[in-house]
Amino acid sequence: MKAMILAAGRGNRMRPLTDHTPKPLLRAGGKPLIAYHIERLAGAGIRDLVINHAHLGAQIEQALGDGSEFGVSIRYSPEAEALETGGGIFNALSLLGDAPFLVVNGDVWTDIDPARLQMRATDLAYLVLVDNPPHNPSGDFALTGDRVQPEGSPKLTFSGVGLYDPKLFDGCQPGAFPLAPLLRDAMAKGKVGGQHHRGQWLDIGTPERLAELDLRLTHAD
């Protein structure tokens, strides 16, 4: 399986930290945020990676190179302007191939095990959901059994980790567009599976949350 790490966000909420450093290269626990994703993917046997970038993207390529330092192979999908999640994935489909692939938001930290994720052959997506954090108390989607629905109770928060079949993007056109409408259409057809992850997960969306993660990792031992 191939995997894509989304790393094209501008990180406005992280300013001024992201004025001169792309968010994926901000450090916690002594290393860049994106390194945790690469190491976890490699540990799960996923070594063919695609990383998109826009803001200060050259720094990401310079820092990670071809991925050999991590025991993986990295190819890049540069975006002149950030294409949002849906547009960014669509722009990288030629690098991701025809089989289902894993996508991880670059601005989360989690202990989700990629090797344990599996989607039905008839599904278009498989989403990992987590308990609602304080900054998203209303959640995103409902989970009934192993089916993800746009509505229902209780709602959980999408972790930013999911499997996608390329067919999810059939009919899309190049450019910036969100992923959520495609997922909701697939949910309406009963073609989105999922699970509730009860382990560690943190959305690194603000300097305060970055500091919280740094403190957690620094004192992990």
Side-chain angles (χ1 to χ4, degrees):
M1 179 184 291
K2 296 181 179 181
M4 181 175 184
I5 302 175
L6 300 175
R10 176 63 176 81
N12 286 322
R13 292 178 300 166
M14 296 292 285
R15 296 185 66 188
L17 299 179
T18 52
D19 285 345
H20 304 289
T21 303
K23 183 161 59 171
L25 296 185
L26 295 177
R27 302 177 76 84
K31 57 187 172 185
L33 294 172
I34 199 169
Y36 292 99
H37 290 309
I38 297 173
E39 291 169 356
R40 186 165 291 277
L41 291 168
I46 302 173
R47 295 184 170 87
D48 195 347
L49 311 184
V50 175
I51 298 175
N52 69 335
H53 61 69
H55 174 63
L56 303 176
Q59 291 188 32
I60 296 177
E61 294 199 24
Q62 183 177 13
L64 304 178
D66 63 2
S68 57
E69 176 185 348
F70 298 90
V72 301
S73 173
I74 297 176
R75 289 185 289 176
Y76 296 95
S77 179
E79 302 171 11
E81 297 290 338
L83 297 175
E84 301 186 57
T85 302
I89 298 173
F90 181 78
N91 188 58
L93 286 181
S94 63
L95 301 176
L96 292 166
D98 299 326
F101 51 85
L102 175 70
V103 175
V104 180
N105 283 6
D107 58 359
V108 302
W109 182 87
T110 181
D111 62 356
I112 293 169
D113 183 358
R116 298 177 65 87
L117 307 184
Q118 188 172 2
M119 64 188 290
R120 294 182 185 177
T122 55
D123 279 351
L124 294 174
Y126 184 93
L127 308 182
V128 181
L129 307 179
V130 296
D131 292 334
N132 299 328
H135 60 273
N136 189 44
S138 299
D140 300 312
F141 305 119
L143 183 65
T144 303
D146 68 348
R147 298 288 90 189
V148 181
Q149 303 290 342
E151 302 298 335
S153 182
K155 279 191 173 181
L156 299 168
T157 290
F158 175 41
S159 69
V161 178
L163 300 174
Y164 304 103
D165 190 298
K167 293 190 290 291
L168 178 69
F169 299 87
D170 285 354
C172 293
Q173 299 298 318
F177 60 87
L179 178 64
L182 301 181
L183 292 175
R184 291 180 183 278
D185 287 346
M187 289 174 196
K189 300 173 184 175
K191 292 185 174 293
V192 179
Q195 65 171 261
H196 182 186
H197 177 70
R198 293 175 172 83
Q200 299 186 70
W201 179 86
L202 187 65
D203 177 357
I204 317 301
T206 65
E208 293 76 18
R209 285 183 230 151
L210 179 65
E212 175 188 341
L213 177 62
D214 182 56
L215 186 65
R216 179 189 304 183
L217 295 174
T218 302
H219 294 86
D221 296 332

